[in-house]
PDB file of all heavy atoms in Angstrom:
ATOM      1  N   VAL A  44      -3.739  -9.783  -2.968  1.00 96.00           N
ATOM      2  CA  VAL A  44      -3.226  -8.514  -3.206  1.00 96.00           C
ATOM      3  C   VAL A  44      -2.651  -8.394  -4.638  1.00 96.00           C
ATOM      4  O   VAL A  44      -2.855  -7.388  -5.271  1.00 96.00           O
ATOM      5  CB  VAL A  44      -2.185  -8.143  -2.088  1.00 96.00           C
ATOM      6  CG1 VAL A  44      -1.443  -6.866  -2.455  1.00 96.00           C
ATOM      7  CG2 VAL A  44      -2.798  -8.003  -0.737  1.00 96.00           C
ATOM      8  N   MET A  45      -1.965  -9.387  -5.056  1.00 96.00           N
ATOM      9  CA  MET A  45      -1.331  -9.393  -6.399  1.00 96.00           C
ATOM     10  C   MET A  45      -2.451  -9.256  -7.494  1.00 96.00           C
ATOM     11  O   MET A  45      -2.213  -8.529  -8.491  1.00 96.00           O
ATOM     12  CB  MET A  45      -0.544 -10.639  -6.671  1.00 96.00           C
ATOM     13  CG  MET A  45       0.792 -10.638  -5.937  1.00 96.00           C
ATOM     14  SD  MET A  45       1.784  -9.190  -6.382  1.00 96.00           S
ATOM     15  CE  MET A  45       3.093  -9.297  -5.217  1.00 96.00           C
ATOM     16  N   LYS A  46      -3.564  -9.873  -7.297  1.00 96.00           N
ATOM     17  CA  LYS A  46      -4.675  -9.711  -8.215  1.00 96.00           C
ATOM     18  C   LYS A  46      -5.102  -8.305  -8.412  1.00 96.00           C
ATOM     19  O   LYS A  46      -5.256  -7.783  -9.490  1.00 96.00           O
ATOM     20  CB  LYS A  46      -5.877 -10.567  -7.814  1.00 96.00           C
ATOM     21  CG  LYS A  46      -5.720 -12.072  -8.115  1.00 96.00           C
ATOM     22  CD  LYS A  46      -6.866 -12.897  -7.590  1.00 96.00           C
ATOM     23  CE  LYS A  46      -7.915 -13.036  -8.616  1.00 96.00           C
ATOM     24  NZ  LYS A  46      -9.022 -13.912  -8.259  1.00 96.00           N
ATOM     25  N   ALA A  47      -5.231  -7.580  -7.206  1.00 96.00           N
ATOM     26  CA  ALA A  47      -5.529  -6.180  -7.265  1.00 96.00           C
ATOM     27  C   ALA A  47      -4.496  -5.329  -7.946  1.00 96.00           C
ATOM     28  O   ALA A  47      -4.732  -4.403  -8.652  1.00 96.00           O
ATOM     29  CB  ALA A  47      -5.868  -5.715  -5.870  1.00 96.00           C
ATOM     30  N   LEU A  48      -3.236  -5.671  -7.641  1.00 97.00           N
ATOM     31  CA  LEU A  48      -2.148  -4.879  -8.195  1.00 97.00           C
ATOM     32  C   LEU A  48      -1.997  -5.080  -9.719  1.00 97.00           C
ATOM     33  O   LEU A  48      -1.648  -4.159 -10.442  1.00 97.00           O
ATOM     34  CB  LEU A  48      -0.826  -5.226  -7.476  1.00 97.00           C
ATOM     35  CG  LEU A  48      -0.767  -4.835  -5.973  1.00 97.00           C
ATOM     36  CD1 LEU A  48       0.452  -5.352  -5.306  1.00 97.00           C
ATOM     37  CD2 LEU A  48      -0.901  -3.271  -5.822  1.00 97.00           C
ATOM     38  N   VAL A  49      -2.288  -6.290 -10.187  1.00 96.00           N
ATOM     39  CA  VAL A  49      -2.352  -6.580 -11.596  1.00 96.00           C
ATOM     40  C   VAL A  49      -3.401  -5.779 -12.269  1.00 96.00           C
ATOM     41  O   VAL A  49      -3.207  -5.109 -13.330  1.00 96.00           O
ATOM     42  CB  VAL A  49      -2.440  -8.116 -11.906  1.00 96.00           C
ATOM     43  CG1 VAL A  49      -2.729  -8.369 -13.320  1.00 96.00           C
ATOM     44  CG2 VAL A  49      -1.158  -8.837 -11.482  1.00 96.00           C
ATOM     45  N   ARG A  50      -4.643  -5.776 -11.694  1.00 96.00           N
ATOM     46  CA  ARG A  50      -5.756  -5.076 -12.189  1.00 96.00           C
ATOM     47  C   ARG A  50      -5.412  -3.583 -12.310  1.00 96.00           C
ATOM     48  O   ARG A  50      -5.868  -2.931 -13.281  1.00 96.00           O
ATOM     49  CB  ARG A  50      -6.963  -5.238 -11.341  1.00 96.00           C
ATOM     50  CG  ARG A  50      -7.852  -6.406 -11.701  1.00 96.00           C
ATOM     51  CD  ARG A  50      -9.276  -6.305 -11.053  1.00 96.00           C
ATOM     52  NE  ARG A  50      -9.201  -6.037  -9.680  1.00 96.00           N
ATOM     53  CZ  ARG A  50      -9.106  -6.950  -8.686  1.00 96.00           C
ATOM     54  NH1 ARG A  50      -9.031  -8.260  -8.988  1.00 96.00           N
ATOM     55  NH2 ARG A  50      -9.058  -6.640  -7.419  1.00 96.00           N
ATOM     56  N   ALA A  51      -4.671  -3.055 -11.404  1.00 96.00           N
ATOM     57  CA  ALA A  51      -4.390  -1.609 -11.392  1.00 96.00           C
ATOM     58  C   ALA A  51      -3.227  -1.284 -12.240  1.00 96.00           C
ATOM     59  O   ALA A  51      -2.860  -0.118 -12.433  1.00 96.00           O
ATOM     60  CB  ALA A  51      -4.024  -1.197  -9.921  1.00 96.00           C
ATOM     61  N   GLY A  52      -2.525  -2.358 -12.870  1.00 96.00           N
ATOM     62  CA  GLY A  52      -1.427  -2.052 -13.753  1.00 96.00           C
ATOM     63  C   GLY A  52      -0.091  -1.775 -13.074  1.00 96.00           C
ATOM     64  O   GLY A  52       0.803  -1.285 -13.723  1.00 96.00           O
ATOM     65  N   LEU A  53       0.010  -2.081 -11.813  1.00 97.00           N
ATOM     66  CA  LEU A  53       1.260  -1.848 -11.090  1.00 97.00           C
ATOM     67  C   LEU A  53       2.147  -3.095 -11.128  1.00 97.00           C
ATOM     68  O   LEU A  53       3.330  -2.996 -11.028  1.00 97.00           O
ATOM     69  CB  LEU A  53       1.025  -1.502  -9.635  1.00 97.00           C
ATOM     70  CG  LEU A  53       0.149  -0.232  -9.361  1.00 97.00           C
ATOM     71  CD1 LEU A  53      -0.036  -0.066  -7.832  1.00 97.00           C
ATOM     72  CD2 LEU A  53       0.745   0.938 -10.002  1.00 97.00           C
ATOM     73  N   VAL A  54       1.522  -4.303 -11.315  1.00 96.00           N
ATOM     74  CA  VAL A  54       2.252  -5.501 -11.339  1.00 96.00           C
ATOM     75  C   VAL A  54       1.832  -6.257 -12.603  1.00 96.00           C
ATOM     76  O   VAL A  54       0.712  -6.158 -13.033  1.00 96.00           O
ATOM     77  CB  VAL A  54       1.927  -6.294 -10.076  1.00 96.00           C
ATOM     78  CG1 VAL A  54       2.495  -7.709 -10.172  1.00 96.00           C
ATOM     79  CG2 VAL A  54       2.524  -5.607  -8.830  1.00 96.00           C
ATOM     80  N   ARG A  55       2.785  -7.041 -13.151  1.00 95.00           N
ATOM     81  CA  ARG A  55       2.486  -7.940 -14.244  1.00 95.00           C
ATOM     82  C   ARG A  55       2.732  -9.342 -13.846  1.00 95.00           C
ATOM     83  O   ARG A  55       3.649  -9.645 -13.159  1.00 95.00           O
ATOM     84  CB  ARG A  55       3.445  -7.527 -15.448  1.00 95.00           C
ATOM     85  CG  ARG A  55       3.106  -8.213 -16.734  1.00 95.00           C
ATOM     86  CD  ARG A  55       4.019  -7.815 -17.879  1.00 95.00           C
ATOM     87  NE  ARG A  55       5.370  -8.219 -17.630  1.00 95.00           N
ATOM     88  CZ  ARG A  55       6.407  -7.468 -17.478  1.00 95.00           C
ATOM     89  NH1 ARG A  55       6.323  -6.168 -17.600  1.00 95.00           N
ATOM     90  NH2 ARG A  55       7.676  -7.952 -17.330  1.00 95.00           N
ATOM     91  N   SER A  56       1.838 -10.217 -14.256  1.00 94.00           N
ATOM     92  CA  SER A  56       1.959 -11.657 -13.956  1.00 94.00           C
ATOM     93  C   SER A  56       2.349 -12.390 -15.204  1.00 94.00           C
ATOM     94  O   SER A  56       1.902 -12.068 -16.274  1.00 94.00           O
ATOM     95  CB  SER A  56       0.739 -12.202 -13.327  1.00 94.00           C
ATOM     96  OG  SER A  56      -0.330 -12.242 -14.302  1.00 94.00           O
ATOM     97  N   THR A  57       3.182 -13.421 -15.034  1.00 91.00           N
ATOM     98  CA  THR A  57       3.541 -14.297 -16.127  1.00 91.00           C
ATOM     99  C   THR A  57       3.333 -15.728 -15.680  1.00 91.00           C
ATOM    100  O   THR A  57       3.471 -16.091 -14.578  1.00 91.00           O
ATOM    101  CB  THR A  57       5.106 -14.120 -16.480  1.00 91.00           C
ATOM    102  OG1 THR A  57       5.897 -14.354 -15.361  1.00 91.00           O
ATOM    103  CG2 THR A  57       5.295 -12.638 -17.037  1.00 91.00           C
ATOM    104  N   ARG A  58       2.890 -16.518 -16.667  1.00 90.00           N
ATOM    105  CA  ARG A  58       2.602 -17.956 -16.360  1.00 90.00           C
ATOM    106  C   ARG A  58       3.790 -18.814 -16.761  1.00 90.00           C
ATOM    107  O   ARG A  58       4.732 -18.311 -17.396  1.00 90.00           O
ATOM    108  CB  ARG A  58       1.374 -18.371 -17.175  1.00 90.00           C
ATOM    109  CG  ARG A  58       0.137 -17.645 -16.785  1.00 90.00           C
ATOM    110  CD  ARG A  58      -1.030 -18.154 -17.668  1.00 90.00           C
ATOM    111  NE  ARG A  58      -2.239 -17.340 -17.341  1.00 90.00           N
ATOM    112  CZ  ARG A  58      -3.238 -17.834 -16.611  1.00 90.00           C
ATOM    113  NH1 ARG A  58      -3.173 -19.042 -16.144  1.00 90.00           N
ATOM    114  NH2 ARG A  58      -4.318 -17.109 -16.431  1.00 90.00           N
ATOM    115  N   GLY A  59       3.790 -20.021 -16.331  1.00 84.00           N
ATOM    116  CA  GLY A  59       4.796 -20.936 -16.660  1.00 84.00           C
ATOM    117  C   GLY A  59       5.685 -21.341 -15.478  1.00 84.00           C
ATOM    118  O   GLY A  59       5.596 -20.767 -14.422  1.00 84.00           O
ATOM    119  N   SER A  60       6.573 -22.235 -15.808  1.00 83.00           N
ATOM    120  CA  SER A  60       7.514 -22.722 -14.727  1.00 83.00           C
ATOM    121  C   SER A  60       8.396 -21.609 -14.138  1.00 83.00           C
ATOM    122  O   SER A  60       8.774 -21.646 -13.019  1.00 83.00           O
ATOM    123  CB  SER A  60       8.334 -23.892 -15.238  1.00 83.00           C
ATOM    124  OG  SER A  60       9.109 -23.459 -16.296  1.00 83.00           O
ATOM    125  N   SER A  61       8.688 -20.618 -14.949  1.00 84.00           N
ATOM    126  CA  SER A  61       9.552 -19.505 -14.474  1.00 84.00           C
ATOM    127  C   SER A  61       8.696 -18.278 -14.309  1.00 84.00           C
ATOM    128  O   SER A  61       9.151 -17.129 -14.333  1.00 84.00           O
ATOM    129  CB  SER A  61      10.710 -19.268 -15.351  1.00 84.00           C
ATOM    130  OG  SER A  61      10.297 -18.889 -16.649  1.00 84.00           O
ATOM    131  N   GLY A  62       7.396 -18.458 -14.178  1.00 87.00           N
ATOM    132  CA  GLY A  62       6.420 -17.346 -14.055  1.00 87.00           C
ATOM    133  C   GLY A  62       6.335 -16.767 -12.589  1.00 87.00           C
ATOM    134  O   GLY A  62       7.039 -17.249 -11.683  1.00 87.00           O
ATOM    135  N   GLY A  63       5.565 -15.798 -12.483  1.00 93.00           N
ATOM    136  CA  GLY A  63       5.354 -15.090 -11.227  1.00 93.00           C
ATOM    137  C   GLY A  63       4.944 -13.676 -11.416  1.00 93.00           C
ATOM    138  O   GLY A  63       4.271 -13.357 -12.332  1.00 93.00           O
TER     139      GLY A  63
END
Side-chain angles (χ1 to χ4, degrees):
V44 169
M45 286 300 172
K46 283 175 90 172
L48 295 174
V49 167
R50 268 194 313 271
L53 300 180
V54 170
R55 188 176 69 240
S56 67
T57 57
R58 296 179 185 256
S60 61
S61 60

